[in-house]
């Protein structure tokens, strides 16, 4: 594939791909005598890895060190990246729920305890973060954490508004059949939202996340703020969506 084709496929600029080539991060499989870059399937796999690491906040130099290491395991990296992205999604969901709770307490003149105000800012119990530190080092994970914290206020607000809009739409139909067309159309919006903002969710991963909504009481409590029984409805709709998509 040409550099233009790869740029369009991956949603990155030609300038970015040239930069990756110049610093040795992603060398094209072939450069023609006239200077045209041509990328192989293996190049595309490497580019995918780079973009996953970037989404997690890893600096380019560290990404280069990781993927060039003799011990680098692509499949193992993908599995750990999936876990880290799901943890990122869970973390943002908790933060958004805390923002909603804080706004509500301000409106109603209620005082939150100190523990409630800062409960979601402790991330020391994430087993996947510990595994990532063991695999890729503290520096890389610290940089990733900084990237997560780097969302602007407007970005967080826009993300929260979009998420809450989907929750409210689903809450309004939570008493209907989760297998019905209306429920499936609405749950697809949630599937698309997660894939736009939090990584590549397969239908099976999406189904597993829905199961977590009813197995983890913290998720259930946060989601059911939009309507009692919403978490159960979403889990069923997500499972049906996954089953239909995989058929």
């Amino acid at each position: 594939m040409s550099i233009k084709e790869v740029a369009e496929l991956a949603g990155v600029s030609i300038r970015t791909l040239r930069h990756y080539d110049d610093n040795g991060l992603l060398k094209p499989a072939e450069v023609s005598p006239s200077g045209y870059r041509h990328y192989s399937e293996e190049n595309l796999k490497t580019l995918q890895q780079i973009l996953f690491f970037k989404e997690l906040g890893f600096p380019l130099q560290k990404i280069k060190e990781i993927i060039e290491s003799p011990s680098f395991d692509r499949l193992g990296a993908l599995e750990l990246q999936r876990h880290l992205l799901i943890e990122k999604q869970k973390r943002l969901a908790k933060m958004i729920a805390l923002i909603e709770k804080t706004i509500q307490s301000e409106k109603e003149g209620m005082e939150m305890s100190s523990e409630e105000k800062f409960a979601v800012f402790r991330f020391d119990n994430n087993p996947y973060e510990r595994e990532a530190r063991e695999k890729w080092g503290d520096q890389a994970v610290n940089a990733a954490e900084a990237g997560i914290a780097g969302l602007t206020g407007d970005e967080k607000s826009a993300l929260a508004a979009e998420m809450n809009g989907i929750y409210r739409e689903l809450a309004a139909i939570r008493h209907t059949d989760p297998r019905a067309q209306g429920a499936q159309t609405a749950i697809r919006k949630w599937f698309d939202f997660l894939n736009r903002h939090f990584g590549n969710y397969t239908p099976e991963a999406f189904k597993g996340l829905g199961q977590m909504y009813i197995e983890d009481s913290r998720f259930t409590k946060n989601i059911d703020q939009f309507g009692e029984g919403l978490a159960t409805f979403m889990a069923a709709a997500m499972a049906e969506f996954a089953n239909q998509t995989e058929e």
Side-chain angles (χ1 to χ4, degrees):
M1 296 181 71
S2 69
I3 191 170
K4 182 180 179 182
E5 291 171 328
V6 173
E8 291 176 350
L9 176 68
V12 299
S13 67
I14 292 176
R15 182 179 178 182
T16 294
L17 292 174
R18 287 174 177 160
H19 177 62
Y20 290 171
D21 183 4
D22 291 340
N23 68 16
L25 182 61
L26 181 64
K27 288 286 186 183
E30 178 183 295
V31 179
S32 71
S34 54
Y36 290 102
R37 295 170 173 87
H38 298 285
Y39 293 83
S40 65
E41 181 62 31
E42 188 65 24
N43 285 149
L44 296 182
K45 290 180 180 180
T46 301
L47 177 58
Q48 185 193 54
Q49 276 288 305
I50 292 168
L51 297 180
F52 280 143
F53 277 120
K54 276 194 66 183
E55 180 64 30
L56 288 163
F58 285 65
L60 292 182
Q61 184 56 41
K62 189 60 185 179
I63 296 173
K64 185 174 185 291
E65 292 174 14
I66 290 170
I67 64 178
E68 288 183 351
S69 170
S71 62
F72 179 66
D73 173 13
R74 194 199 310 272
L75 180 58
L78 286 168
E79 290 174 344
L80 185 52
Q81 287 164 341
R82 178 185 63 190
H83 289 309
L84 288 168
L85 286 167
I86 290 174
E87 287 298 317
K88 178 179 177 181
Q89 187 268 334
K90 288 164 61 178
R91 183 179 305 176
L92 286 173
K94 290 176 184 178
M95 284 193 172
I96 292 168
L98 178 59
I99 289 172
E100 293 289 338
K101 185 175 182 179
T102 304
I103 291 172
Q104 195 65 28
S105 68
E106 290 288 332
K107 288 180 178 179
E108 297 178 359
M110 298 173 60
E111 186 63 31
M112 295 173 63
S113 70
S114 297
E115 289 76 12
E116 287 177 309
K117 290 176 183 175
F118 298 100
V120 302
F121 295 100
R122 290 183 57 84
F123 308 128
D124 51 336
N125 293 321
N126 180 354
Y128 303 115
E129 179 177 319
R130 291 197 296 272
E131 185 179 348
R133 289 183 184 278
E134 291 170 3
K135 275 182 174 286
W136 301 321
D138 289 338
Q139 182 181 359
V141 178
N142 288 340
E145 292 289 352
I148 291 171
L151 289 174
T152 67
D154 287 343
E155 288 171 336
K156 290 177 181 176
S157 296
L159 191 69
E162 185 178 0
M163 179 181 287
N164 288 346
I166 296 172
Y167 275 146
R168 292 190 181 100
E169 180 179 350
L170 288 163
I173 59 172
R174 69 188 187 279
H175 298 305
T176 65
D177 185 347
R179 300 167 297 178
Q181 182 61 46
Q184 288 302 298
T185 298
I187 208 66
R188 174 173 280 280
K189 293 181 181 179
W190 184 234
F191 178 76
D192 292 342
F193 173 84
L194 293 177
N195 276 285
R196 282 198 310 275
H197 298 292
F198 302 110
N200 184 23
Y201 272 81
T202 64
E204 187 61 31
F206 187 58
K207 180 179 180 179
L209 182 63
Q211 192 63 27
M212 191 185 303
Y213 290 170
I214 54 178
E215 291 179 351
D216 188 324
S217 60
R218 295 168 299 180
F219 269 95
T220 305
K221 182 178 180 181
N222 285 336
I223 293 172
D224 279 5
Q225 291 181 86
F226 291 87
E228 186 176 355
L230 177 58
T232 300
F233 172 79
M234 287 183 68
M238 291 161 79
E240 178 64 21
F241 176 85
N243 292 339
Q244 288 185 15
T245 303
E246 292 176 342
E247 288 178 355

